[in-house]
């Protein structure tokens, strides 16, 4: 069967997932002592869509928010970034999810989710069916390992979306994004292996790749990328933050790329999504894996230098400046 034509004016990318509001403590310290919080629109898939939109690849989100101020904030933010939100259902019976986190002082930051039974966790196959033309008409379906962890209906929605994208011959990308607060490693592995096997591009951190392949060593990035690719995807990418990234594509040759130095890390959360946005933008443009990793690392570096998940995502012009090694001269 030949693939249906791409939607001329429709989104190039569709992502499925929960968009939430992150309340981030204003100052470093334990959550118990936090007095002020900054609200940021967050959610891995939404971050990737905003990153792609800024790089010139428009996308659409399929999801759910509550009929509340946080839901409105999510929709306004996405709309203002050029992300199509007609596939986001407003559910009057549920609340928009929240995430609360401290700012790290010693050791890792404390993160709490307030998302059980949230509007986003009610995403269903019906929501996906309603967007079938958009999913079939886009070039890429982007998924993360967060969505199937949210509820059985979310897991079913992911499967339905994969079926539509596959049936239409579209690309599928998956960021493993293992969230230990949502499910156990065994549950994640069982649910994610079949999804990874369906994907064209899989992105994982070293721990996530090790979890999927059932391997204890998280140091050898080349080994991890090779084993991840053996699970089925055409391109496997292992990203290790300051340690750089490794990709393995169709020819089985590993591509290694060092990270971009970041003088001050302001907020590391969201770096993975920025990395994914840069990588997918390059893949959509048919660029080499080497270039894709360079774009990905540059986007990740730009994101960690700024507070919040979305504000640091670079525009195309900013990415070009970063890649050319331009210093912090004033832009006139
Ligand atoms: O990748 C950053 C995300 O962790 C954040 O935006 C929230 O999507 C999120 C999640 O579920 O953890």
């Amino acid at each position: 069967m030949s693939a249906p034509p791409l939607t001329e004016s429709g989104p190039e990318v569709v992502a499925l997932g929960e968009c939430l509001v992150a309340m981030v403590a204003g100052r470093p310290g334990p959550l118990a002592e936090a007095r002020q919080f900054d609200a940021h629109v967050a959610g891995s898939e939404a971050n990737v869509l905003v990153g792609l939109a800024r790089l010139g690849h428009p996308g659409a989100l399929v999801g759910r928010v509550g009929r509340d101020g946080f839901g409105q904030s999510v929709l306004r933010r996405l709309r203002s970034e050029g992300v199509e939100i007609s596939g986001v259902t407003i559910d009057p019976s549920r609340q928009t999810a929240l995430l609360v986190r401290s700012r790290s002082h010693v050791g890792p930051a404390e993160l709490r989710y307030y998302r059980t039974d949230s509007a986003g966790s009610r995403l269903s196959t019906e929501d996906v069916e309603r967007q079938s033309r958009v999913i079939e008409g886009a070039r890429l379906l982007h998924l993360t390992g967060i969505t199937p962890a949210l509820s059985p209906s979310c897991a079913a929605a992911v499967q339905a979306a994969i079926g539509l994208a596959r049936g239409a011959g579209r690309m599928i990308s998956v960021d493993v994004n293992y969230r230990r607060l949502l499910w156990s490693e065994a549950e994640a592995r069982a649910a994610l292996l079949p999804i990874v096997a369906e994907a064209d591009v899989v992105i994982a951190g070293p721990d996530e790749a090790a979890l999927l392949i059932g391997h204890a060593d998280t140091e050898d990035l080349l080994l991890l990328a090779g084993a991840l690719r053996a699970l089925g995807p055409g391109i496997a990418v292992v990203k290790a933050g300051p340690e750089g990234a490794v990709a393995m594509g169709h020819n089985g040759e590993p591509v290694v790329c060092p990270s971009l130095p970041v003088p001050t890390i302001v907020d590391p959360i969201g770096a993975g999504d920025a990395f994914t946005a840069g990588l997918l933008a390059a893949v959509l443009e048919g660029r080499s894996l080497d270039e894709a990793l360079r774009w990905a690392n540059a986007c990740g570096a730009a994101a960690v230098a700024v507070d919040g998940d979305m504000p640091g995502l670079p525009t195309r012009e900013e990415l070009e400046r970063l890649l050319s090694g331009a210093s912090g001269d004033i832009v006139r």
Side-chain angles (χ1 to χ4, degrees), residues 163-186:
L164 288 171
R166 269 281 157 265
R170 304 307 182 215
M171 264 196 298
I172 298 174
S173 55
V174 177
D175 183 344
V176 175
N177 260 346
Y178 173 60
R179 297 286 184 263
R180 65 184 64 254
L181 291 177
L182 298 178
W183 54 358
S184 71
E185 292 194 357

Side-chain angles (χ1 to χ4, degrees), residues 9-304:
S9 55
E12 207 180 346
V13 184
V14 176
L16 206 69
E18 179 164 49
C19 201
L20 28 66
V21 171
M23 307 297 260
V24 184
R27 295 202 183 140
L31 204 48
E33 295 298 329
R35 297 290 174 267
Q36 292 170 330
F37 292 87
D38 296 320
H40 297 277
V41 171
S44 177
E45 302 82 1
N47 293 341
V48 171
L49 286 175
V50 170
L52 279 167
R54 289 190 188 174
L55 295 174
H57 297 280
L61 183 71
V62 178
R64 282 180 170 253
V65 292
R67 189 181 292 285
D68 48 37
F70 292 128
Q72 242 180 60
S73 166
V74 162
L75 295 177
R76 280 185 194 160
R77 182 69 203 247
L78 293 183
R79 199 186 292 119
S80 73
E81 295 283 354
V83 175
E84 176 58 55
I85 51 166
S86 55
V88 181
T89 302
I90 299 173
D91 181 343
S93 67
R94 307 280 156 192
Q95 305 194 73
T96 305
L98 292 185
L99 172 168
V100 180
R101 83 176 150 82
S102 67
R103 220 176 260 278
S104 158
H105 58 308
V106 277
E110 182 177 348
L111 183 147
R112 296 283 139 202
Y113 286 131
Y114 296 85
R115 69 195 312 180
T116 307
D117 222 12
S118 63
S121 70
R122 290 296 174 116
L123 183 75
S124 67
T125 50
E126 288 76 33
D127 295 314
V128 170
E129 288 303 331
R130 271 197 295 277
Q131 295 302 310
S132 59
R133 285 172 63 112
V134 181
I135 296 170
E136 287 170 342
R139 290 181 60 203
L140 172 72
L141 171 68
H142 178 66
L143 303 165
T144 76
I146 299 169
T147 314
L150 297 177
S151 69
S153 78
C154 280
V158 166
Q159 285 307 330
I162 290 174
L164 288 171
R166 269 281 157 265
R170 304 307 182 215
M171 264 196 298
I172 298 174
S173 55
V174 177
D175 183 344
V176 175
N177 260 346
Y178 173 60
R179 297 286 184 263
R180 65 184 64 254
L181 291 177
L182 298 178
W183 54 358
S184 71
E185 292 194 357
E187 287 170 319
R189 188 164 190 267
L192 297 179
L193 281 176
I195 296 176
V196 162
E198 287 282 352
D200 299 281
V201 183
V202 171
I203 303 131
D207 292 356
E208 294 167 340
L211 183 160
L212 288 180
I213 63 179
H215 203 280
D217 179 9
T218 57
E219 301 284 313
D220 189 340
L221 302 188
L222 289 179
L223 179 146
L224 290 171
L228 188 59
R229 184 155 181 274
L231 297 176
I235 299 173
V237 180
V238 179
K239 57 179 160 88
E243 264 54 77
V246 173
M248 205 172 276
H250 300 278
N251 63 8
E253 286 292 320
V255 178
V256 182
C257 184
S259 67
L260 223 69
V262 182
T264 314
I265 296 183
V266 177
D267 180 5
I269 311 288
D273 301 328
F275 178 98
T276 297
L279 183 99
L280 294 178
V283 168
L284 285 167
E285 293 175 28
R287 293 174 188 266
S288 70
L289 267 189
D290 181 54
E291 198 165 11
L293 286 190
R294 281 192 286 118
W295 286 26
N297 277 338
C299 288
V304 299

